[in-house]
Amino acid sequence: MSAIKKVVVVGAGGNLGPFILSSLHSANFTISVLTRPDSNSTYPSYVTSVKTDYSHPSLLDAFRGQDAVISTVGFTGTSFQIQLIDAADQAGVKRFVPSEFGWAKDRPMLPELAARLEPKEKVFEHLLEKCRTSETMSWSAVATGPFLDWCLNIVPTLGFVVPKRTARIYDSGEEPLTCTTGAAIGTAVANILLNADKTANRYLKVCSVKATQNQFLEALEEATDTKWNVTRVSTKDIMQGRTKKLQEKKFQEAFLDLLTVQLFEDGAGRGSIVEPEKSDNELLGVKVEDVKHVINMLVSATEAV
Ligand SMILES: NC(=O)c1ccc[n+]([C@@H]2O[C@H](COP(=O)([O-])OP(=O)(O)OC[C@H]3O[C@@H](n4cnc5c(N)ncnc54)[C@H](OP(=O)(O)O)[C@@H]3O)[C@@H](O)[C@H]2O)c1
């Protein structure tokens, strides 16, 4: 395949997109971003911003002459990717990277979580089918496990609320977890395109850190130089309480509960997406780092703002 040079990132103004833009820029790709007409997203000056109403003609216009499409659309826009895939194929795009960035498909998943993620699965199957018959387009996807920056700063999926110095430790806190920083996900995506032949039609796995919740807590206490307020909870109780939350329409809380049980139930082995030595880290330029080092770096960056 000829080298990929021109890349469109769709939905690049969200939580993950900026990390990917930054890595693509460092690797000298020519970058456009596709954004909805009423979007408030803002972008760095090195990208060309193109508005789309996701109609087929507007997507075709945006994708003609482009080598790759990276989708980072948020979960609520998942099904829009069907339109993106069809237009990318028709426009002659060579590589499509769907908005996956989560669990690995070969790892155990709670059935309730799998049901929630079904829209992503439908998009992925559509992509596989399209690429099977496409003359130009192949795909790559990447599993990252929890996105560490997001889990510490936006949604407390790992049980830690940094500004309040509070922690919820699930079961024994000893279940191993792999997760990836935003910067490392950006690096992985740039390297997918830089190694287009080796990454074609592959579901790749990366991780920056492997640690237990107790080790994350120790690292956070050290980084903040404070003893944290710790609550211990059982994943069995959480699953039981979840039914009531659903009845009360507390959907966000119930979803967070599901994520924490997926990750931390003792002995379930669902928190780790890959053993670091069996990951695609080397191909994608991702390093496994010491938990204390990563936490210190992320906490310092957040608290300096
Ligand atoms: N593993 C993890 O822990 C983790 C954590 C967070 C996210 N993720 C995954 O990473 C990917 C990106 O997530 P994110 O949090 O960066 O997304 P996000 O911030 O929620 O949204 C990213 C962009 O998608 C576009 N968008 C949002 N809603 C849309 C809709 N209904 N229709 C069309 N476009 C829409 C918007 O772009 P414009 O306004 O420019 O149109 C938005 O800025 C998703 O697949 C998500 O599931 C994984």
mmCIF file of all heavy atoms in Angstrom, residues 15-57:
data_model
loop_
_atom_site.group_PDB
_atom_site.id
_atom_site.type_symbol
_atom_site.label_atom_id
_atom_site.label_comp_id
_atom_site.label_asym_id
_atom_site.label_seq_id
_atom_site.Cartn_x
_atom_site.Cartn_y
_atom_site.Cartn_z
ATOM 1 N N ASN A 15 -13.074 14.068 24.169
ATOM 2 C CA ASN A 15 -12.084 13.697 25.197
ATOM 3 C C ASN A 15 -10.819 13.115 24.585
ATOM 4 O O ASN A 15 -9.712 13.414 25.017
ATOM 5 C CB ASN A 15 -12.690 12.654 26.146
ATOM 6 C CG ASN A 15 -13.878 13.206 26.899
ATOM 7 O OD1 ASN A 15 -13.749 14.220 27.590
ATOM 8 N ND2 ASN A 15 -15.027 12.577 26.781
ATOM 9 N N LEU A 16 -10.998 12.256 23.581
ATOM 10 C CA LEU A 16 -9.864 11.524 23.024
ATOM 11 C C LEU A 16 -9.220 12.228 21.828
ATOM 12 O O LEU A 16 -7.987 12.184 21.651
ATOM 13 C CB LEU A 16 -10.371 10.131 22.589
ATOM 14 C CG LEU A 16 -9.334 9.155 22.095
ATOM 15 C CD1 LEU A 16 -8.257 8.919 23.160
ATOM 16 C CD2 LEU A 16 -9.996 7.831 21.731
ATOM 17 N N GLY A 17 -10.066 12.872 21.003
ATOM 18 C CA GLY A 17 -9.593 13.448 19.737
ATOM 19 C C GLY A 17 -8.335 14.305 19.851
ATOM 20 O O GLY A 17 -7.393 14.142 19.059
ATOM 21 N N PRO A 18 -8.257 15.227 20.825
ATOM 22 C CA PRO A 18 -7.076 16.106 20.884
ATOM 23 C C PRO A 18 -5.752 15.343 21.013
ATOM 24 O O PRO A 18 -4.736 15.759 20.437
ATOM 25 C CB PRO A 18 -7.343 16.969 22.134
ATOM 26 C CG PRO A 18 -8.841 17.005 22.219
ATOM 27 C CD PRO A 18 -9.310 15.648 21.770
ATOM 28 N N PHE A 19 -5.743 14.224 21.724
ATOM 29 C CA PHE A 19 -4.509 13.432 21.853
ATOM 30 C C PHE A 19 -4.111 12.861 20.485
ATOM 31 O O PHE A 19 -2.931 12.788 20.139
ATOM 32 C CB PHE A 19 -4.712 12.268 22.835
ATOM 33 C CG PHE A 19 -4.915 12.713 24.260
ATOM 34 C CD1 PHE A 19 -6.170 12.687 24.837
ATOM 35 C CD2 PHE A 19 -3.841 13.145 25.023
ATOM 36 C CE1 PHE A 19 -6.361 13.091 26.161
ATOM 37 C CE2 PHE A 19 -4.021 13.539 26.344
ATOM 38 C CZ PHE A 19 -5.287 13.519 26.909
ATOM 39 N N ILE A 20 -5.122 12.454 19.731
ATOM 40 C CA ILE A 20 -4.855 11.850 18.415
ATOM 41 C C ILE A 20 -4.378 12.934 17.444
ATOM 42 O O ILE A 20 -3.399 12.735 16.706
ATOM 43 C CB ILE A 20 -6.109 11.099 17.918
ATOM 44 C CG1 ILE A 20 -6.322 9.873 18.816
ATOM 45 C CG2 ILE A 20 -5.990 10.703 16.450
ATOM 46 C CD1 ILE A 20 -7.532 9.033 18.522
ATOM 47 N N LEU A 21 -5.025 14.089 17.475
ATOM 48 C CA LEU A 21 -4.582 15.188 16.594
ATOM 49 C C LEU A 21 -3.121 15.529 16.871
ATOM 50 O O LEU A 21 -2.315 15.697 15.948
ATOM 51 C CB LEU A 21 -5.435 16.446 16.825
ATOM 52 C CG LEU A 21 -6.889 16.395 16.355
ATOM 53 C CD1 LEU A 21 -7.554 17.747 16.600
ATOM 54 C CD2 LEU A 21 -6.989 16.004 14.883
ATOM 55 N N SER A 22 -2.784 15.633 18.143
ATOM 56 C CA SER A 22 -1.431 16.031 18.515
ATOM 57 C C SER A 22 -0.389 15.018 17.993
ATOM 58 O O SER A 22 0.648 15.396 17.431
ATOM 59 C CB SER A 22 -1.392 16.166 20.042
ATOM 60 O OG SER A 22 -0.104 16.270 20.487
ATOM 61 N N SER A 23 -0.687 13.726 18.122
ATOM 62 C CA SER A 23 0.259 12.708 17.639
ATOM 63 C C SER A 23 0.346 12.696 16.120
ATOM 64 O O SER A 23 1.434 12.530 15.558
ATOM 65 C CB SER A 23 -0.166 11.318 18.099
ATOM 66 O OG SER A 23 -0.005 11.217 19.471
ATOM 67 N N LEU A 24 -0.808 12.859 15.455
ATOM 68 C CA LEU A 24 -0.782 12.879 13.983
ATOM 69 C C LEU A 24 0.030 14.079 13.496
ATOM 70 O O LEU A 24 0.786 13.987 12.523
ATOM 71 C CB LEU A 24 -2.210 12.955 13.424
ATOM 72 C CG LEU A 24 -3.102 11.732 13.633
ATOM 73 C CD1 LEU A 24 -4.527 12.026 13.147
ATOM 74 C CD2 LEU A 24 -2.547 10.503 12.903
ATOM 75 N N HIS A 25 -0.119 15.199 14.179
ATOM 76 C CA HIS A 25 0.615 16.416 13.814
ATOM 77 C C HIS A 25 2.121 16.189 13.993
ATOM 78 O O HIS A 25 2.921 16.512 13.106
ATOM 79 C CB HIS A 25 0.125 17.569 14.682
ATOM 80 C CG HIS A 25 0.800 18.865 14.411
ATOM 81 N ND1 HIS A 25 0.846 19.440 13.154
ATOM 82 C CD2 HIS A 25 1.474 19.719 15.230
ATOM 83 C CE1 HIS A 25 1.511 20.579 13.208
ATOM 84 N NE2 HIS A 25 1.913 20.769 14.458
ATOM 85 N N SER A 26 2.496 15.590 15.131
ATOM 86 C CA SER A 26 3.932 15.330 15.380
ATOM 87 C C SER A 26 4.507 14.399 14.324
ATOM 88 O O SER A 26 5.688 14.460 14.007
ATOM 89 C CB SER A 26 4.144 14.667 16.743
ATOM 90 O OG SER A 26 3.673 15.501 17.742
ATOM 91 N N ALA A 27 3.658 13.515 13.779
ATOM 92 C CA ALA A 27 4.140 12.567 12.761
ATOM 93 C C ALA A 27 3.985 13.138 11.342
ATOM 94 O O ALA A 27 4.143 12.405 10.358
ATOM 95 C CB ALA A 27 3.376 11.251 12.888
ATOM 96 N N ASN A 28 3.670 14.434 11.259
ATOM 97 C CA ASN A 28 3.624 15.144 9.963
ATOM 98 C C ASN A 28 2.529 14.717 8.999
ATOM 99 O O ASN A 28 2.692 14.840 7.783
ATOM 100 C CB ASN A 28 4.974 15.042 9.226
ATOM 101 C CG ASN A 28 6.023 15.857 9.933
ATOM 102 O OD1 ASN A 28 5.719 16.945 10.431
ATOM 103 N ND2 ASN A 28 7.222 15.318 10.029
ATOM 104 N N PHE A 29 1.423 14.189 9.514
ATOM 105 C CA PHE A 29 0.291 13.923 8.626
ATOM 106 C C PHE A 29 -0.400 15.255 8.292
ATOM 107 O O PHE A 29 -0.344 16.202 9.083
ATOM 108 C CB PHE A 29 -0.728 13.004 9.318
ATOM 109 C CG PHE A 29 -0.251 11.580 9.436
ATOM 110 C CD1 PHE A 29 0.252 11.091 10.634
ATOM 111 C CD2 PHE A 29 -0.292 10.734 8.335
ATOM 112 C CE1 PHE A 29 0.700 9.778 10.743
ATOM 113 C CE2 PHE A 29 0.154 9.412 8.438
ATOM 114 C CZ PHE A 29 0.658 8.938 9.633
ATOM 115 N N THR A 30 -1.052 15.294 7.125
ATOM 116 C CA THR A 30 -1.903 16.444 6.793
ATOM 117 C C THR A 30 -3.293 16.120 7.337
ATOM 118 O O THR A 30 -3.882 15.095 6.971
ATOM 119 C CB THR A 30 -1.974 16.627 5.254
ATOM 120 O OG1 THR A 30 -0.639 16.787 4.794
ATOM 121 C CG2 THR A 30 -2.809 17.825 4.872
ATOM 122 N N ILE A 31 -3.804 16.979 8.218
ATOM 123 C CA ILE A 31 -5.003 16.600 8.992
ATOM 124 C C ILE A 31 -6.199 17.502 8.690
ATOM 125 O O ILE A 31 -6.078 18.741 8.723
ATOM 126 C CB ILE A 31 -4.720 16.712 10.511
ATOM 127 C CG1 ILE A 31 -3.398 16.019 10.865
ATOM 128 C CG2 ILE A 31 -5.859 16.136 11.329
ATOM 129 C CD1 ILE A 31 -2.870 16.398 12.235
ATOM 130 N N SER A 32 -7.347 16.852 8.437
ATOM 131 C CA SER A 32 -8.624 17.583 8.426
ATOM 132 C C SER A 32 -9.482 17.024 9.544
ATOM 133 O O SER A 32 -9.319 15.861 9.924
ATOM 134 C CB SER A 32 -9.401 17.352 7.132
ATOM 135 O OG SER A 32 -8.597 17.556 6.025
ATOM 136 N N VAL A 33 -10.386 17.834 10.051
ATOM 137 C CA VAL A 33 -11.351 17.303 11.021
ATOM 138 C C VAL A 33 -12.757 17.550 10.487
ATOM 139 O O VAL A 33 -13.020 18.566 9.843
ATOM 140 C CB VAL A 33 -11.216 17.935 12.431
ATOM 141 C CG1 VAL A 33 -9.882 17.601 13.053
ATOM 142 C CG2 VAL A 33 -11.450 19.413 12.409
ATOM 143 N N LEU A 34 -13.607 16.571 10.756
ATOM 144 C CA LEU A 34 -14.994 16.662 10.314
ATOM 145 C C LEU A 34 -15.845 16.924 11.537
ATOM 146 O O LEU A 34 -15.721 16.218 12.542
ATOM 147 C CB LEU A 34 -15.385 15.301 9.720
ATOM 148 C CG LEU A 34 -16.259 15.339 8.496
ATOM 149 C CD1 LEU A 34 -15.546 16.075 7.383
ATOM 150 C CD2 LEU A 34 -16.544 13.907 8.052
ATOM 151 N N THR A 35 -16.716 17.921 11.441
ATOM 152 C CA THR A 35 -17.466 18.334 12.615
ATOM 153 C C THR A 35 -18.890 18.707 12.210
ATOM 154 O O THR A 35 -19.117 19.112 11.073
ATOM 155 C CB THR A 35 -16.683 19.500 13.294
ATOM 156 O OG1 THR A 35 -17.334 19.882 14.459
ATOM 157 C CG2 THR A 35 -16.507 20.705 12.388
ATOM 158 N N ARG A 36 -19.845 18.507 13.125
ATOM 159 C CA ARG A 36 -21.241 18.798 12.782
ATOM 160 C C ARG A 36 -21.468 20.310 12.650
ATOM 161 O O ARG A 36 -20.754 21.100 13.287
ATOM 162 C CB ARG A 36 -22.166 18.235 13.869
ATOM 163 C CG ARG A 36 -22.197 16.726 13.898
ATOM 164 C CD ARG A 36 -22.829 16.218 15.159
ATOM 165 N NE ARG A 36 -22.057 16.611 16.333
ATOM 166 C CZ ARG A 36 -22.447 16.458 17.576
ATOM 167 N NH1 ARG A 36 -23.613 15.919 17.833
ATOM 168 N NH2 ARG A 36 -21.681 16.833 18.583
ATOM 169 N N PRO A 37 -22.492 20.733 11.876
ATOM 170 C CA PRO A 37 -22.693 22.176 11.618
ATOM 171 C C PRO A 37 -22.868 22.994 12.901
ATOM 172 O O PRO A 37 -22.397 24.123 12.983
ATOM 173 C CB PRO A 37 -23.972 22.216 10.776
ATOM 174 C CG PRO A 37 -24.086 20.867 10.174
ATOM 175 C CD PRO A 37 -23.432 19.895 11.112
ATOM 176 N N ASP A 38 -23.539 22.410 13.913
ATOM 177 C CA ASP A 38 -23.801 23.195 15.133
ATOM 178 C C ASP A 38 -22.806 22.883 16.255
ATOM 179 O O ASP A 38 -23.026 23.228 17.408
ATOM 180 C CB ASP A 38 -25.232 22.920 15.619
ATOM 181 C CG ASP A 38 -25.479 21.424 15.812
ATOM 182 O OD1 ASP A 38 -24.586 20.626 15.424
ATOM 183 O OD2 ASP A 38 -26.542 21.044 16.357
ATOM 184 N N SER A 39 -21.680 22.264 15.893
ATOM 185 C CA SER A 39 -20.708 21.871 16.923
ATOM 186 C C SER A 39 -19.979 23.081 17.503
ATOM 187 O O SER A 39 -19.690 24.043 16.795
ATOM 188 C CB SER A 39 -19.676 20.929 16.297
ATOM 189 O OG SER A 39 -18.638 20.708 17.205
ATOM 190 N N ASN A 40 -19.672 23.008 18.802
ATOM 191 C CA ASN A 40 -18.878 24.071 19.438
ATOM 192 C C ASN A 40 -17.413 23.677 19.553
ATOM 193 O O ASN A 40 -16.635 24.378 20.200
ATOM 194 C CB ASN A 40 -19.396 24.339 20.862
ATOM 195 C CG ASN A 40 -20.791 24.881 20.840
ATOM 196 O OD1 ASN A 40 -21.131 25.670 19.953
ATOM 197 N ND2 ASN A 40 -21.621 24.452 21.786
ATOM 198 N N SER A 41 -17.037 22.540 18.967
ATOM 199 C CA SER A 41 -15.645 22.072 19.095
ATOM 200 C C SER A 41 -14.682 23.095 18.496
ATOM 201 O O SER A 41 -14.989 23.726 17.482
ATOM 202 C CB SER A 41 -15.466 20.742 18.353
ATOM 203 O OG SER A 41 -16.301 19.767 18.894
ATOM 204 N N THR A 42 -13.537 23.232 19.137
ATOM 205 C CA THR A 42 -12.493 24.114 18.587
ATOM 206 C C THR A 42 -11.257 23.260 18.308
ATOM 207 O O THR A 42 -11.034 22.238 18.970
ATOM 208 C CB THR A 42 -12.121 25.225 19.587
ATOM 209 O OG1 THR A 42 -11.763 24.601 20.820
ATOM 210 C CG2 THR A 42 -13.264 26.197 19.810
ATOM 211 N N TYR A 43 -10.472 23.688 17.333
ATOM 212 C CA TYR A 43 -9.350 22.870 16.875
ATOM 213 C C TYR A 43 -8.082 23.695 16.751
ATOM 214 O O TYR A 43 -8.138 24.908 16.524
ATOM 215 C CB TYR A 43 -9.700 22.247 15.509
ATOM 216 C CG TYR A 43 -10.866 21.311 15.620
ATOM 217 C CD1 TYR A 43 -12.128 21.677 15.168
ATOM 218 C CD2 TYR A 43 -10.721 20.075 16.229
ATOM 219 C CE1 TYR A 43 -13.215 20.822 15.318
ATOM 220 C CE2 TYR A 43 -11.790 19.213 16.384
ATOM 221 C CZ TYR A 43 -13.033 19.597 15.930
ATOM 222 O OH TYR A 43 -14.101 18.754 16.093
ATOM 223 N N PRO A 44 -6.923 23.028 16.846
ATOM 224 C CA PRO A 44 -5.669 23.764 16.663
ATOM 225 C C PRO A 44 -5.534 24.278 15.226
ATOM 226 O O PRO A 44 -6.183 23.766 14.313
ATOM 227 C CB PRO A 44 -4.593 22.714 16.976
ATOM 228 C CG PRO A 44 -5.269 21.400 17.058
ATOM 229 C CD PRO A 44 -6.737 21.622 17.186
ATOM 230 N N SER A 45 -4.659 25.287 15.057
ATOM 231 C CA SER A 45 -4.574 25.939 13.743
ATOM 232 C C SER A 45 -3.992 25.024 12.669
ATOM 233 O O SER A 45 -4.153 25.284 11.486
ATOM 234 C CB SER A 45 -3.733 27.208 13.860
ATOM 235 O OG SER A 45 -2.477 26.847 14.397
ATOM 236 N N TYR A 46 -3.325 23.915 13.067
ATOM 237 C CA TYR A 46 -2.733 23.057 12.041
ATOM 238 C C TYR A 46 -3.738 22.136 11.362
ATOM 239 O O TYR A 46 -3.370 21.384 10.462
ATOM 240 C CB TYR A 46 -1.549 22.236 12.605
ATOM 241 C CG TYR A 46 -1.873 21.370 13.817
ATOM 242 C CD1 TYR A 46 -2.550 20.164 13.691
ATOM 243 C CD2 TYR A 46 -1.489 21.769 15.095
ATOM 244 C CE1 TYR A 46 -2.830 19.369 14.795
ATOM 245 C CE2 TYR A 46 -1.772 20.985 16.218
ATOM 246 C CZ TYR A 46 -2.438 19.784 16.057
ATOM 247 O OH TYR A 46 -2.716 19.017 17.161
ATOM 248 N N VAL A 47 -5.007 22.152 11.771
ATOM 249 C CA VAL A 47 -5.978 21.293 11.087
ATOM 250 C C VAL A 47 -6.922 22.130 10.225
ATOM 251 O O VAL A 47 -7.160 23.308 10.505
ATOM 252 C CB VAL A 47 -6.833 20.432 12.064
ATOM 253 C CG1 VAL A 47 -5.971 19.656 13.027
ATOM 254 C CG2 VAL A 47 -7.858 21.259 12.805
ATOM 255 N N THR A 48 -7.439 21.495 9.164
ATOM 256 C CA THR A 48 -8.489 22.115 8.353
ATOM 257 C C THR A 48 -9.811 21.557 8.846
ATOM 258 O O THR A 48 -9.991 20.340 8.910
ATOM 259 C CB THR A 48 -8.311 21.710 6.869
ATOM 260 O OG1 THR A 48 -6.984 22.018 6.504
ATOM 261 C CG2 THR A 48 -9.307 22.423 5.974
ATOM 262 N N SER A 49 -10.721 22.461 9.225
ATOM 263 C CA SER A 49 -11.994 21.991 9.770
ATOM 264 C C SER A 49 -13.067 21.998 8.677
ATOM 265 O O SER A 49 -13.223 22.978 7.955
ATOM 266 C CB SER A 49 -12.356 22.910 10.938
ATOM 267 O OG SER A 49 -13.679 22.737 11.282
ATOM 268 N N VAL A 50 -13.788 20.877 8.545
ATOM 269 C CA VAL A 50 -14.827 20.750 7.516
ATOM 270 C C VAL A 50 -16.141 20.400 8.209
ATOM 271 O O VAL A 50 -16.203 19.449 8.989
ATOM 272 C CB VAL A 50 -14.456 19.603 6.534
ATOM 273 C CG1 VAL A 50 -15.531 19.450 5.459
ATOM 274 C CG2 VAL A 50 -13.086 19.824 5.919
ATOM 275 N N LYS A 51 -17.170 21.183 7.923
ATOM 276 C CA LYS A 51 -18.490 20.908 8.525
ATOM 277 C C LYS A 51 -19.219 19.832 7.720
ATOM 278 O O LYS A 51 -19.112 19.802 6.495
ATOM 279 C CB LYS A 51 -19.354 22.176 8.498
ATOM 280 C CG LYS A 51 -18.810 23.307 9.352
ATOM 281 C CD LYS A 51 -19.252 23.172 10.780
ATOM 282 C CE LYS A 51 -18.755 24.337 11.620
ATOM 283 N NZ LYS A 51 -18.788 24.046 13.051
ATOM 284 N N THR A 52 -19.947 18.966 8.406
ATOM 285 C CA THR A 52 -20.769 17.971 7.694
ATOM 286 C C THR A 52 -22.097 17.763 8.403
ATOM 287 O O THR A 52 -22.154 17.807 9.629
ATOM 288 C CB THR A 52 -20.059 16.599 7.602
ATOM 289 O OG1 THR A 52 -20.934 15.693 6.922
ATOM 290 C CG2 THR A 52 -19.732 16.001 8.960
ATOM 291 N N ASP A 53 -23.137 17.537 7.601
ATOM 292 C CA ASP A 53 -24.427 17.149 8.193
ATOM 293 C C ASP A 53 -24.565 15.625 8.130
ATOM 294 O O ASP A 53 -25.650 15.091 8.317
ATOM 295 C CB ASP A 53 -25.593 17.836 7.459
ATOM 296 C CG ASP A 53 -25.594 17.504 5.971
ATOM 297 O OD1 ASP A 53 -24.725 16.717 5.521
ATOM 298 O OD2 ASP A 53 -26.463 18.035 5.255
ATOM 299 N N TYR A 54 -23.460 14.936 7.853
ATOM 300 C CA TYR A 54 -23.401 13.478 7.751
ATOM 301 C C TYR A 54 -24.227 12.949 6.568
ATOM 302 O O TYR A 54 -24.532 11.773 6.503
ATOM 303 C CB TYR A 54 -23.833 12.789 9.064
ATOM 304 C CG TYR A 54 -22.746 12.786 10.120
ATOM 305 C CD1 TYR A 54 -22.525 13.881 10.929
ATOM 306 C CD2 TYR A 54 -21.925 11.675 10.288
ATOM 307 C CE1 TYR A 54 -21.527 13.889 11.887
ATOM 308 C CE2 TYR A 54 -20.926 11.659 11.241
ATOM 309 C CZ TYR A 54 -20.733 12.776 12.040
ATOM 310 O OH TYR A 54 -19.748 12.765 12.985
ATOM 311 N N SER A 55 -24.622 13.842 5.633
ATOM 312 C CA SER A 55 -25.297 13.337 4.427
ATOM 313 C C SER A 55 -24.229 12.694 3.545
ATOM 314 O O SER A 55 -23.042 13.069 3.609
ATOM 315 C CB SER A 55 -26.004 14.471 3.691
ATOM 316 O OG SER A 55 -25.025 15.369 3.204
ATOM 317 N N HIS A 56 -24.649 11.756 2.713
ATOM 318 C CA HIS A 56 -23.678 11.033 1.882
ATOM 319 C C HIS A 56 -22.877 11.995 0.986
ATOM 320 O O HIS A 56 -21.641 11.909 0.954
ATOM 321 C CB HIS A 56 -24.404 9.951 1.073
ATOM 322 C CG HIS A 56 -23.467 9.000 0.416
ATOM 323 N ND1 HIS A 56 -22.667 8.128 1.122
ATOM 324 C CD2 HIS A 56 -23.179 8.798 -0.894
ATOM 325 C CE1 HIS A 56 -21.931 7.426 0.272
ATOM 326 N NE2 HIS A 56 -22.227 7.820 -0.955
ATOM 327 N N PRO A 57 -23.555 12.946 0.282
ATOM 328 C CA PRO A 57 -22.760 13.845 -0.582
ATOM 329 C C PRO A 57 -21.726 14.656 0.198
ATOM 330 O O PRO A 57 -20.586 14.821 -0.250
ATOM 331 C CB PRO A 57 -23.814 14.775 -1.203
ATOM 332 C CG PRO A 57 -25.111 14.049 -1.052
ATOM 333 C CD PRO A 57 -25.001 13.173 0.153
#
